[in-house]
Amino acid sequence: MSPTAAGIGLRQLLMVLGDSLVEMQAAPAGLDVEIRGVSLLDPEDPPTAQPGELVLVIGARGRAAFPALRAAGRDGAAAVVVKLDGPGQAAALSETAAEAGVALLSLRGEARWAQVHALARAALDDAPPGESGTGAEEGDLFSLAQTTAILTSGIVSIEDAANRVLAYSRTTDSDEADDLRRRSILGWQGPEGYLAKLREWGVFQHLHSSDEVIGIDSHPELGIRRRLAVAIRSGDRQLGTIWVQEGSVPLSERSRQALLGAARVAALHLVRRRRELSDDVTLTRTLLAGLLDGSTGPQPLATHLGFDATRPAAVLGFSYGTKEAYETPEGVAAPELTHSEVTNLVSVHIAARHRSALVTQVDPRIYVLLPQLPRGVDTDTLRGWTQEITDAARRHLGLPLRGSVGCLVPGLGDVPESRREADRILDAMVSAGVTVAVAALPDIQAEVLVSEILTLLTAHPEIRDPRLTALISHDSRHQGRLAETLLTYLNAFGDIRAAAAQLHVHPNTLRYRLRRAEQLTGLDLSRPDQRLLAMLQLRLPPTS
């Protein structure tokens, strides 16, 4: 159980374990604390830990883990993993962890302690000595470029798939580097004439489809010396290219073989980079989802991204799809678009307005977290930003996107409140048939409250008037329209002619239907309370 010589950062450990096993609850010292060992704490053992350890508290659930948390902080442990024993415990445990100065992770209900222990041990065993999860990939690539230059007697540059220089070898004589080399290192575009020749000769096509080294002859008229090139590949995907330019001496006889080996080594570095970037994005999304639903406090995300958790924040919500599509003057129907298309559009537009914005999908909706809002940003400002996004969705995607503006909250800790308000608005926009594309709560507060009352009636049939339920059943059995007539009459404030016109019937027909409804049910429409209840209950969906 003693700590290992090498360590990894808490951030890297979370990426290894993944959100299917653990959930971040608190990280008072940040996500870069070093973990140098892992131990299992049995319920019969005294609560002790070693400095830098990840302590798995396997025998104490919920509040019973308090002694282990305090002991871990006292002994300098890096993090503690506990299993929650029901909802509502995360906040108390997180507060204790913050006081103890130790990170707190909770084990998912379906996860096993043996899985976490095995993965944590494997991550520590794989950590290179002297590293804490902050690899020196760029240094490795520069070292690889220098080694390749020695083996080939040439001048080397390593580029990514977008032809951006990632690393290059050093040269002692600037005259050895040709114009293309110098322009590439400085971040400029190579001579267009030469690039056109490379396309004409099929060099780029070869690099895209083959892992064999290709040679390019010198072209003094273009200021270009002889070169070799090889694609850096992972399976069928090209990750980049290694170029070797001939300098003042010819390239070595084994240059091609050396270049093949260098490409395979470079692929390992670039695959690792992609994996780490992907893992970092996954961690961000996990922490953001936890913050939005209130299962994770604000501190882990704030620490991970360097946010000030005490500055104002807000949540925007977006929904779309054929089931939620609202009618438009143009009659546009929501097409079947992928979430990624809509998310990309939302991300691009909101990033132009707020640098720190985060976008995530929680099916079937898309949410934008706006942390660290500057002074002067109010609900009207956020409504304008949201309107720009829905307008762009209609213009570029032909999509009737709905947007809601959650309340401004004083800090990240109150973000769940803003998300709930954004959801309340979207729910009402769908159920009440609100035709505006964007709304904040003051815009449609009545619709939101009525929608929530109807939800309550849907969930509790016992608080409905059985006479109205019977009226709806009668209509269903006899293909009648008595319930529809009654609701239309009530919506028209008892105006017989207006209601009849809306139903396209004669006023006398409407009067007859109302009398018939009263006779069948025993309703007394002269009583305000019965009229009020009828207006609400008759708005329920037919299947409720």
Side-chain angles (χ1 to χ4, degrees):
M1 293 197 303
S2 60
T4 63
I8 62 173
L10 177 58
R11 188 190 312 272
Q12 281 68 39
L13 181 68
L14 288 170
M15 294 175 184
V16 170
L17 297 179
D19 62 337
S20 62
L21 289 182
V22 298
E23 185 174 8
M24 189 76 216
Q25 298 295 345
L31 297 181
D32 293 322
V33 295
E34 186 179 22
I35 295 173
R36 300 191 298 276
V38 57
S39 67
L40 296 169
L41 183 62
D42 189 88
E44 298 183 0
D45 293 337
T48 60
Q50 297 292 323
E53 271 191 334
L54 172 72
V55 182
L56 309 183
V57 186
I58 62 174
R61 287 173 172 261
R63 293 181 177 275
F66 282 166
L69 273 173
R70 297 187 181 102
R74 178 197 66 210
D75 297 337
V80 174
V81 186
V82 302
K83 201 156 194 174
L84 301 180
D85 194 20
Q89 295 181 346
L93 285 166
S94 296
E95 184 178 348
T96 301
E99 293 173 355
V102 65
L104 174 66
L105 287 68
S106 60
L107 188 72
R108 296 283 189 182
E110 65 279 8
R112 292 166 35 221
W113 287 110
Q115 292 175 289
V116 176
H117 185 262
L119 286 173
R121 285 299 328 162
L124 287 165
D125 291 342
D126 289 342
E131 291 192 10
S132 298
T134 56
E137 178 181 295
E138 290 77 6
D140 291 341
L141 283 178
F142 275 92
S143 176
L144 176 63
Q146 193 63 31
T147 300
T148 307
I150 294 171
L151 295 174
T152 61
S153 301
I155 305 171
V156 176
S157 63
I158 301 175
E159 299 179 356
D160 65 11
N163 303 119
R164 294 176 296 231
V165 175
L166 301 174
Y168 51 89
S169 61
R170 299 183 299 274
T171 59
T172 56
D173 185 352
S174 60
D175 291 337
E176 290 187 1
D178 61 15
D179 187 48
L180 177 59
R181 155 82 174 191
R182 286 190 292 270
R183 287 173 178 261
S184 298
I185 298 303
L186 292 172
W188 298 341
Q189 181 70 43
E192 179 54 39
Y194 180 66
L195 296 178
K197 286 292 184 184
L198 291 180
R199 288 189 287 269
E200 179 184 333
W201 298 331
V203 172
F204 292 134
Q205 182 179 357
H206 172 92
L207 293 170
H208 183 69
S209 59
S210 173
D211 56 4
E212 296 295 323
V213 176
I214 186 172
I216 303 101
D217 293 334
S218 64
H219 288 270
E221 73 280 8
L222 296 174
I224 304 301
R225 296 185 180 182
R226 179 189 173 213
R227 270 176 172 71
L228 297 178
V230 66
I232 304 169
R233 309 188 67 80
S234 174
D236 294 332
R237 177 178 295 180
Q238 182 183 358
L239 304 179
T241 309
I242 301 180
W243 299 86
V244 179
Q245 178 219 305
E246 190 172 71
S248 57
V249 299
L251 295 176
S252 66
E253 294 181 1
R254 302 181 68 84
S255 291
R256 290 176 178 267
Q257 183 177 351
L259 203 52
L260 283 173
R264 290 163 187 164
V265 174
L268 298 177
H269 292 299
L270 297 187
V271 166
R272 186 179 73 186
R273 167 183 284 186
R274 288 183 176 220
R275 182 173 63 248
E276 289 176 350
L277 288 174
S278 176
D279 288 344
D280 188 72
V281 169
T282 300
L283 177 58
T284 299
R285 288 175 178 169
T286 300
L287 295 176
L288 175 56
L291 177 61
L292 288 173
D293 65 22
S295 63
T296 303
Q299 197 269 335
L301 182 67
T303 302
H304 177 52
L305 297 177
F307 289 162
D308 183 349
T310 64
R311 289 178 57 184
V315 174
L316 310 180
F318 295 91
S319 70
Y320 72 97
T322 53
K323 291 184 179 180
E324 293 187 348
Y326 53 84
E327 294 296 326
T328 67
E330 300 85 357
V332 178
E336 293 299 327
L337 296 173
T338 64
H339 267 314
S340 61
E341 290 177 281
V342 184
T343 302
N344 288 341
L345 181 142
V346 172
S347 300
V348 168
H349 279 269
I350 200 63
R353 289 297 187 180
H354 189 57
R355 183 187 304 274
S356 301
L358 295 176
V359 181
T360 191
Q361 304 170 18
V362 182
D363 290 340
R365 290 175 176 171
I366 297 169
Y367 296 95
V368 177
L369 171 63
L370 300 169
Q372 306 183 133
L373 285 170
R375 290 182 179 178
V377 171
D378 55 14
T379 298
D380 287 340
T381 303
L382 300 183
R383 189 188 287 108
W385 293 357
T386 309
Q387 187 70 56
E388 289 175 2
I389 292 171
T390 59
D391 289 346
R394 182 183 301 279
R395 186 167 57 252
H396 297 295
L397 302 178
L399 177 70
L401 187 67
R402 285 189 180 89
S404 62
V405 180
C407 56
L408 280 160
V409 292
L412 287 183
D414 300 301
V415 159
E417 177 187 349
S418 185
R419 186 263 176 99
R420 284 192 293 271
E421 183 165 300
D423 277 336
R424 292 175 66 198
I425 296 165
L426 288 177
D427 290 342
M429 292 173 82
V430 174
S431 63
V434 176
T435 57
V436 296
V438 173
L441 186 58
D443 303 326
I444 58 168
Q445 190 154 27
E447 290 87 343
V448 169
L449 295 175
V450 168
S451 174
E452 291 171 350
I453 292 172
L454 295 179
T455 299
L456 183 66
L457 284 173
T458 300
H460 296 278
E462 69 276 9
I463 63 175
R464 302 181 201 170
D465 188 331
R467 295 172 297 179
L468 295 168
T469 303
L471 181 64
I472 295 170
S473 297
H474 178 275
D475 278 351
S476 178
R477 291 193 306 270
H478 299 89
Q479 292 79 48
R481 300 180 63 187
L482 297 180
E484 177 191 10
T485 299
L486 177 54
L487 181 59
T488 304
Y489 166 76
L490 294 172
N491 286 341
F493 297 100
D495 188 326
I496 293 288
R497 293 190 177 278
Q502 187 173 342
L503 292 170
H504 305 291
V505 298
H506 193 277
N508 288 338
T509 301
L510 189 139
R511 291 188 181 94
Y512 168 77
R513 290 180 182 176
L514 292 176
R515 288 196 300 271
R516 180 64 176 156
E518 287 182 305
Q519 292 168 357
L520 285 172
T521 62
L523 288 169
D524 182 358
L525 296 180
S526 66
R527 294 179 57 180
D529 54 347
Q530 294 194 21
R531 293 198 305 270
L532 175 61
L533 185 58
M535 286 190 71
L536 289 171
Q537 189 168 324
L538 293 179
R539 291 174 185 268
L540 292 176
T543 56
S544 296

